Amino acid sequence: MNTELFHIQDPKGHEQEIAHVADILRTGGLAVFPTETVYGLGGLATSEHAAKAIYEAKGRPSDNPLIIHVAAPEDAEPYAVTSEIYYRLAAQFMPGPLTVILSKKETIPHAVTGGLDTVAVRCPAHPVARALIEAVGAPVAAPSANRSGRPSPTCAAHAIEDLSGRVAAIIDGGECEVGLESTIIKLEGDKGILLRPGAITADALSCVCEVSIAPAVTAALAENERPLSPGMKYRHYAPHAPLVLLDGAQDAVLRYLQNESADPAVGILCYDEELPLLSGKATLFPIGKKEDLPTQARRLFAALREADTHPALTKLYAHLPPPNGLGLALYNRCIRAAAHTVKKID
Ligand code: TXA
Ligand code: MG
């Protein structure tokens, strides 16, 4: 398949191209588009055919449900059973990097929800995503635009790498502002369960409703445990060189890394401040300053992809992020990339 590429940072002046990509989606085709979190692989959310095509293009197991993207929170009405809490969350955090799981209506095929009776609803903030969904005039189902198992794409080049030739169009809207996928909260009555941490933190959500954090956010699933979110059971983002997370006092971890950095087979996802202190033979992937979690969130997936372009590396190290605030989202992605391998450093 020939993939058309468009460069659209701002929908203004690009109405024709957006209408063209919207036509592709409306007629059952697939297109990659930017959101403020990561790039999405879009298809018409009301179409079983489009859902199947998405799973196939991604190489994704079809029991892992898709998020439907709407242009405004109330646009979810025909597709999901909304509630007062949904609208309170929407008033605070939509458009933005939040996904809410609600009971689904008949209008959404089971192929989209992986057979579940619930549906994930998100109203993205990115102007290109919003313009595209509005032009389609229906919700757009979109998982992250990576091949299954790879880190989510935070720029068009990543999506091109993974999906060129497998989708009809890719819109390059520049680098994603957040860099980690949306926060997912499942509503049960007036309570919320945090299924995936993201830029909207648990603390921010708990200003609107009572929130508990699903155990799988921080811990490995027990064998045979049924996850609340099917996505939790899949190994994600795993770089080809096994990743080890280092947990300990800053100076102790730095000393450990200084030792290891003599080894040319080692790669280190380090803080920017550590660059001049780790001048061995190791390959360094700076992800931002120690205290600058937003930059680390923006760079993490690109760093994991970059590490995979160095076939000589046999071991990767990174700092274990602090498990609170935005750190919880980084922690969650890192422990999955590391398959829960954490080394204590004294
Ligand atoms: O930021 C994002 O959310 C991006 C952009 C493109 O919007 N999308 C994204 O989609 O990350 P995806 O498919 O890569 O991740 C969606 C996650 C999966 O882990 C899936 O299992 C979970 O959401 N999910 C979707 N529908 C669900 C449902 N009904 N119940 C529980 N989990 C659900
Ligand atoms: Mg994904």
Side-chain angles (χ1 to χ4, degrees), residues 23 28 35 46-47 56 68 73 89 104 108 117 132 144 146 172 195 208 215 219-220 257 283-284 289 296:
D23 267 345
T35 85
T46 49
S47 159
E56 172 150 358
I68 71 163
L89 288 169
K104 82 170 199 63
I108 296 295
D117 292 328
L132 179 65
S144 49
N146 51 284
D172 179 351
L195 300 185
V208 177
L257 288 175
T283 309
L284 306 181
K289 293 211 169 93
Q296 292 173 34

PDB file of all heavy atoms in Angstrom, residues 23 28 35 46-47 56 68 73 89 104 108 117 132 144 146 172 195 208 215 219-220 257 283-284 289 296:
ATOM      1  N   ASP A  23     -11.900  11.521   4.776  1.00  0.00           N
ATOM      2  CA  ASP A  23     -12.565  10.657   3.779  1.00  0.00           C
ATOM      3  C   ASP A  23     -12.006   9.243   3.824  1.00  0.00           C
ATOM      4  O   ASP A  23     -12.751   8.267   3.723  1.00  0.00           O
ATOM      5  CB  ASP A  23     -12.345  11.217   2.365  1.00  0.00           C
ATOM      6  CG  ASP A  23     -13.489  12.137   1.965  1.00  0.00           C
ATOM      7  OD1 ASP A  23     -14.531  12.095   2.652  1.00  0.00           O
ATOM      8  OD2 ASP A  23     -13.317  12.896   0.983  1.00  0.00           O
ATOM      9  N   GLY A  28     -13.457   3.549   5.584  1.00  0.00           N
ATOM     10  CA  GLY A  28     -12.927   2.275   6.091  1.00  0.00           C
ATOM     11  C   GLY A  28     -11.411   2.150   6.065  1.00  0.00           C
ATOM     12  O   GLY A  28     -10.868   1.117   6.466  1.00  0.00           O
ATOM     13  N   THR A  35      -1.466  13.081  18.361  1.00  0.00           N
ATOM     14  CA  THR A  35      -2.235  13.565  19.506  1.00  0.00           C
ATOM     15  C   THR A  35      -1.206  14.155  20.479  1.00  0.00           C
ATOM     16  O   THR A  35      -0.002  14.029  20.265  1.00  0.00           O
ATOM     17  CB  THR A  35      -3.063  12.470  20.220  1.00  0.00           C
ATOM     18  OG1 THR A  35      -2.241  11.797  21.170  1.00  0.00           O
ATOM     19  CG2 THR A  35      -3.700  11.484  19.253  1.00  0.00           C
ATOM     20  N   THR A  46     -17.026   2.987  14.435  1.00  0.00           N
ATOM     21  CA  THR A  46     -18.294   2.268  14.308  1.00  0.00           C
ATOM     22  C   THR A  46     -18.178   1.101  13.327  1.00  0.00           C
ATOM     23  O   THR A  46     -19.169   0.436  13.035  1.00  0.00           O
ATOM     24  CB  THR A  46     -19.387   3.236  13.809  1.00  0.00           C
ATOM     25  OG1 THR A  46     -18.864   3.937  12.677  1.00  0.00           O
ATOM     26  CG2 THR A  46     -19.767   4.234  14.883  1.00  0.00           C
ATOM     27  N   SER A  47     -16.982   0.862  12.830  1.00  0.00           N
ATOM     28  CA  SER A  47     -16.805  -0.136  11.775  1.00  0.00           C
ATOM     29  C   SER A  47     -15.998  -1.342  12.249  1.00  0.00           C
ATOM     30  O   SER A  47     -14.835  -1.220  12.662  1.00  0.00           O
ATOM     31  CB  SER A  47     -16.100   0.520  10.579  1.00  0.00           C
ATOM     32  OG  SER A  47     -15.488  -0.443   9.774  1.00  0.00           O
ATOM     33  N   GLU A  56      -4.753  -5.777  12.430  1.00  0.00           N
ATOM     34  CA  GLU A  56      -3.841  -6.395  11.473  1.00  0.00           C
ATOM     35  C   GLU A  56      -2.627  -5.501  11.203  1.00  0.00           C
ATOM     36  O   GLU A  56      -1.490  -5.970  11.196  1.00  0.00           O
ATOM     37  CB  GLU A  56      -4.599  -6.682  10.170  1.00  0.00           C
ATOM     38  CG  GLU A  56      -3.653  -7.135   9.101  1.00  0.00           C
ATOM     39  CD  GLU A  56      -4.286  -8.085   8.115  1.00  0.00           C
ATOM     40  OE1 GLU A  56      -5.478  -8.423   8.281  1.00  0.00           O
ATOM     41  OE2 GLU A  56      -3.556  -8.475   7.198  1.00  0.00           O
ATOM     42  N   ILE A  68     -11.845   4.932  21.703  1.00  0.00           N
ATOM     43  CA  ILE A  68     -12.524   5.744  20.693  1.00  0.00           C
ATOM     44  C   ILE A  68     -12.309   7.225  21.029  1.00  0.00           C
ATOM     45  O   ILE A  68     -12.403   7.651  22.176  1.00  0.00           O
ATOM     46  CB  ILE A  68     -14.022   5.390  20.525  1.00  0.00           C
ATOM     47  CG1 ILE A  68     -14.878   5.831  21.715  1.00  0.00           C
ATOM     48  CG2 ILE A  68     -14.203   3.898  20.277  1.00  0.00           C
ATOM     49  CD1 ILE A  68     -16.373   5.866  21.387  1.00  0.00           C
ATOM     50  N   PRO A  73     -16.594  15.987  24.661  1.00  0.00           N
ATOM     51  CA  PRO A  73     -17.031  14.949  25.612  1.00  0.00           C
ATOM     52  C   PRO A  73     -18.452  14.458  25.345  1.00  0.00           C
ATOM     53  O   PRO A  73     -18.712  13.250  25.420  1.00  0.00           O
ATOM     54  CB  PRO A  73     -16.938  15.660  26.969  1.00  0.00           C
ATOM     55  CG  PRO A  73     -15.926  16.737  26.774  1.00  0.00           C
ATOM     56  CD  PRO A  73     -16.009  17.171  25.337  1.00  0.00           C
ATOM     57  N   LEU A  89     -15.331  14.780  35.241  1.00  0.00           N
ATOM     58  CA  LEU A  89     -13.958  14.544  34.764  1.00  0.00           C
ATOM     59  C   LEU A  89     -13.710  15.313  33.472  1.00  0.00           C
ATOM     60  O   LEU A  89     -12.662  15.935  33.284  1.00  0.00           O
ATOM     61  CB  LEU A  89     -13.710  13.043  34.539  1.00  0.00           C
ATOM     62  CG  LEU A  89     -13.596  12.178  35.794  1.00  0.00           C
ATOM     63  CD1 LEU A  89     -13.627  10.701  35.420  1.00  0.00           C
ATOM     64  CD2 LEU A  89     -12.306  12.506  36.557  1.00  0.00           C
ATOM     65  N   LYS A 104     -20.532   0.328  27.145  1.00  0.00           N
ATOM     66  CA  LYS A 104     -20.702   0.687  25.734  1.00  0.00           C
ATOM     67  C   LYS A 104     -22.147   0.550  25.290  1.00  0.00           C
ATOM     68  O   LYS A 104     -22.930  -0.176  25.907  1.00  0.00           O
ATOM     69  CB  LYS A 104     -19.767  -0.145  24.859  1.00  0.00           C
ATOM     70  CG  LYS A 104     -20.248  -1.529  24.502  1.00  0.00           C
ATOM     71  CD  LYS A 104     -19.328  -2.097  23.436  1.00  0.00           C
ATOM     72  CE  LYS A 104     -19.961  -3.251  22.671  1.00  0.00           C
ATOM     73  NZ  LYS A 104     -21.154  -2.902  21.900  1.00  0.00           N
ATOM     74  N   ILE A 108     -21.178   0.689  19.043  1.00  0.00           N
ATOM     75  CA  ILE A 108     -19.747   0.334  18.940  1.00  0.00           C
ATOM     76  C   ILE A 108     -19.645  -1.185  18.830  1.00  0.00           C
ATOM     77  O   ILE A 108     -20.063  -1.913  19.738  1.00  0.00           O
ATOM     78  CB  ILE A 108     -18.961   0.840  20.178  1.00  0.00           C
ATOM     79  CG1 ILE A 108     -18.981   2.369  20.250  1.00  0.00           C
ATOM     80  CG2 ILE A 108     -17.520   0.330  20.170  1.00  0.00           C
ATOM     81  CD1 ILE A 108     -18.270   3.088  19.117  1.00  0.00           C
ATOM     82  N   ASP A 117     -17.913  -5.321  27.179  1.00  0.00           N
ATOM     83  CA  ASP A 117     -19.125  -4.500  27.154  1.00  0.00           C
ATOM     84  C   ASP A 117     -18.849  -3.065  27.588  1.00  0.00           C
ATOM     85  O   ASP A 117     -19.765  -2.280  27.801  1.00  0.00           O
ATOM     86  CB  ASP A 117     -20.201  -5.120  28.059  1.00  0.00           C
ATOM     87  CG  ASP A 117     -20.699  -6.427  27.463  1.00  0.00           C
ATOM     88  OD1 ASP A 117     -20.728  -6.533  26.220  1.00  0.00           O
ATOM     89  OD2 ASP A 117     -21.011  -7.349  28.234  1.00  0.00           O
ATOM     90  N   LEU A 132      -9.440  16.563  12.674  1.00  0.00           N
ATOM     91  CA  LEU A 132      -9.658  15.337  11.911  1.00  0.00           C
ATOM     92  C   LEU A 132     -10.937  14.626  12.377  1.00  0.00           C
ATOM     93  O   LEU A 132     -11.781  14.231  11.549  1.00  0.00           O
ATOM     94  CB  LEU A 132      -8.441  14.413  12.050  1.00  0.00           C
ATOM     95  CG  LEU A 132      -8.526  13.083  11.317  1.00  0.00           C
ATOM     96  CD1 LEU A 132      -8.580  13.299   9.794  1.00  0.00           C
ATOM     97  CD2 LEU A 132      -7.335  12.178  11.663  1.00  0.00           C
ATOM     98  N   SER A 144      -2.209   3.326  19.938  1.00  0.00           N
ATOM     99  CA  SER A 144      -0.949   3.986  19.604  1.00  0.00           C
ATOM    100  C   SER A 144      -0.438   3.423  18.271  1.00  0.00           C
ATOM    101  O   SER A 144      -0.641   2.245  17.970  1.00  0.00           O
ATOM    102  CB  SER A 144       0.057   3.760  20.723  1.00  0.00           C
ATOM    103  OG  SER A 144       0.102   2.390  21.078  1.00  0.00           O
ATOM    104  N   ASN A 146       2.114   2.246  16.866  1.00  0.00           N
ATOM    105  CA  ASN A 146       3.323   1.423  16.804  1.00  0.00           C
ATOM    106  C   ASN A 146       2.946  -0.003  16.433  1.00  0.00           C
ATOM    107  O   ASN A 146       1.798  -0.411  16.621  1.00  0.00           O
ATOM    108  CB  ASN A 146       3.994   1.406  18.188  1.00  0.00           C
ATOM    109  CG  ASN A 146       3.009   1.047  19.298  1.00  0.00           C
ATOM    110  OD1 ASN A 146       2.202   1.870  19.696  1.00  0.00           O
ATOM    111  ND2 ASN A 146       3.060  -0.199  19.754  1.00  0.00           N
ATOM    112  N   ASP A 172       2.079  14.056   9.800  1.00  0.00           N
ATOM    113  CA  ASP A 172       3.190  14.461  10.655  1.00  0.00           C
ATOM    114  C   ASP A 172       2.811  15.783  11.314  1.00  0.00           C
ATOM    115  O   ASP A 172       2.698  16.805  10.644  1.00  0.00           O
ATOM    116  CB  ASP A 172       4.458  14.614   9.800  1.00  0.00           C
ATOM    117  CG  ASP A 172       5.661  15.055  10.626  1.00  0.00           C
ATOM    118  OD1 ASP A 172       5.483  15.410  11.807  1.00  0.00           O
ATOM    119  OD2 ASP A 172       6.780  15.040  10.076  1.00  0.00           O
ATOM    120  N   LEU A 195      -6.299   2.607  35.687  1.00  0.00           N
ATOM    121  CA  LEU A 195      -5.773   1.424  34.998  1.00  0.00           C
ATOM    122  C   LEU A 195      -4.424   1.700  34.346  1.00  0.00           C
ATOM    123  O   LEU A 195      -3.612   0.799  34.186  1.00  0.00           O
ATOM    124  CB  LEU A 195      -6.747   0.952  33.912  1.00  0.00           C
ATOM    125  CG  LEU A 195      -8.149   0.536  34.353  1.00  0.00           C
ATOM    126  CD1 LEU A 195      -8.929  -0.021  33.171  1.00  0.00           C
ATOM    127  CD2 LEU A 195      -8.071  -0.498  35.467  1.00  0.00           C
ATOM    128  N   VAL A 208     -11.760  14.978  41.786  1.00  0.00           N
ATOM    129  CA  VAL A 208     -13.090  14.842  41.181  1.00  0.00           C
ATOM    130  C   VAL A 208     -13.839  13.626  41.737  1.00  0.00           C
ATOM    131  O   VAL A 208     -15.036  13.691  41.985  1.00  0.00           O
ATOM    132  CB  VAL A 208     -12.977  14.733  39.642  1.00  0.00           C
ATOM    133  CG1 VAL A 208     -14.340  14.518  39.009  1.00  0.00           C
ATOM    134  CG2 VAL A 208     -12.300  15.964  39.067  1.00  0.00           C
ATOM    135  N   PRO A 215      -3.666  -2.658  41.043  1.00  0.00           N
ATOM    136  CA  PRO A 215      -2.368  -3.218  41.454  1.00  0.00           C
ATOM    137  C   PRO A 215      -1.409  -3.406  40.268  1.00  0.00           C
ATOM    138  O   PRO A 215      -0.203  -3.206  40.415  1.00  0.00           O
ATOM    139  CB  PRO A 215      -2.738  -4.571  42.065  1.00  0.00           C
ATOM    140  CG  PRO A 215      -4.177  -4.454  42.453  1.00  0.00           C
ATOM    141  CD  PRO A 215      -4.802  -3.471  41.516  1.00  0.00           C
ATOM    142  N   ALA A 219       2.788  -3.374  39.907  1.00  0.00           N
ATOM    143  CA  ALA A 219       3.315  -4.715  40.168  1.00  0.00           C
ATOM    144  C   ALA A 219       3.094  -5.620  38.964  1.00  0.00           C
ATOM    145  O   ALA A 219       2.261  -5.320  38.107  1.00  0.00           O
ATOM    146  CB  ALA A 219       2.626  -5.309  41.385  1.00  0.00           C
ATOM    147  N   ALA A 220       3.822  -6.714  38.923  1.00  0.00           N
ATOM    148  CA  ALA A 220       3.600  -7.699  37.865  1.00  0.00           C
ATOM    149  C   ALA A 220       2.291  -8.418  38.142  1.00  0.00           C
ATOM    150  O   ALA A 220       1.914  -8.601  39.299  1.00  0.00           O
ATOM    151  CB  ALA A 220       4.753  -8.696  37.852  1.00  0.00           C
ATOM    152  N   LEU A 257      26.783   3.122  37.950  1.00  0.00           N
ATOM    153  CA  LEU A 257      26.765   3.391  36.505  1.00  0.00           C
ATOM    154  C   LEU A 257      28.156   3.759  35.998  1.00  0.00           C
ATOM    155  O   LEU A 257      28.535   3.385  34.885  1.00  0.00           O
ATOM    156  CB  LEU A 257      25.768   4.518  36.195  1.00  0.00           C
ATOM    157  CG  LEU A 257      24.283   4.148  36.318  1.00  0.00           C
ATOM    158  CD1 LEU A 257      23.408   5.377  36.114  1.00  0.00           C
ATOM    159  CD2 LEU A 257      23.913   3.053  35.301  1.00  0.00           C
ATOM    160  N   THR A 283      27.145   3.509  25.772  1.00  0.00           N
ATOM    161  CA  THR A 283      26.364   4.451  24.957  1.00  0.00           C
ATOM    162  C   THR A 283      25.328   5.111  25.860  1.00  0.00           C
ATOM    163  O   THR A 283      24.592   4.422  26.578  1.00  0.00           O
ATOM    164  CB  THR A 283      25.655   3.702  23.813  1.00  0.00           C
ATOM    165  OG1 THR A 283      26.639   2.916  23.137  1.00  0.00           O
ATOM    166  CG2 THR A 283      25.025   4.672  22.832  1.00  0.00           C
ATOM    167  N   LEU A 284      25.288   6.452  25.822  1.00  0.00           N
ATOM    168  CA  LEU A 284      24.409   7.189  26.729  1.00  0.00           C
ATOM    169  C   LEU A 284      23.203   7.748  25.981  1.00  0.00           C
ATOM    170  O   LEU A 284      23.326   8.270  24.871  1.00  0.00           O
ATOM    171  CB  LEU A 284      25.187   8.328  27.389  1.00  0.00           C
ATOM    172  CG  LEU A 284      26.479   7.916  28.107  1.00  0.00           C
ATOM    173  CD1 LEU A 284      27.144   9.139  28.755  1.00  0.00           C
ATOM    174  CD2 LEU A 284      26.204   6.851  29.169  1.00  0.00           C
ATOM    175  N   LYS A 289      16.704  16.256  32.666  1.00  0.00           N
ATOM    176  CA  LYS A 289      17.295  16.471  33.996  1.00  0.00           C
ATOM    177  C   LYS A 289      16.559  15.633  35.036  1.00  0.00           C
ATOM    178  O   LYS A 289      15.378  15.312  34.864  1.00  0.00           O
ATOM    179  CB  LYS A 289      17.194  17.953  34.366  1.00  0.00           C
ATOM    180  CG  LYS A 289      18.057  18.866  33.492  1.00  0.00           C
ATOM    181  CD  LYS A 289      18.515  20.066  34.310  1.00  0.00           C
ATOM    182  CE  LYS A 289      19.571  20.860  33.593  1.00  0.00           C
ATOM    183  NZ  LYS A 289      18.993  21.967  32.808  1.00  0.00           N
ATOM    184  N   GLN A 296      11.471  13.938  30.728  1.00  0.00           N
ATOM    185  CA  GLN A 296      11.732  12.491  30.720  1.00  0.00           C
ATOM    186  C   GLN A 296      10.564  11.744  30.076  1.00  0.00           C
ATOM    187  O   GLN A 296      10.767  10.796  29.322  1.00  0.00           O
ATOM    188  CB  GLN A 296      11.955  11.989  32.148  1.00  0.00           C
ATOM    189  CG  GLN A 296      13.238  12.521  32.769  1.00  0.00           C
ATOM    190  CD  GLN A 296      13.352  12.141  34.239  1.00  0.00           C
ATOM    191  OE1 GLN A 296      12.911  11.074  34.654  1.00  0.00           O
ATOM    192  NE2 GLN A 296      13.945  13.012  35.031  1.00  0.00           N
TER     193      GLN A 296
END
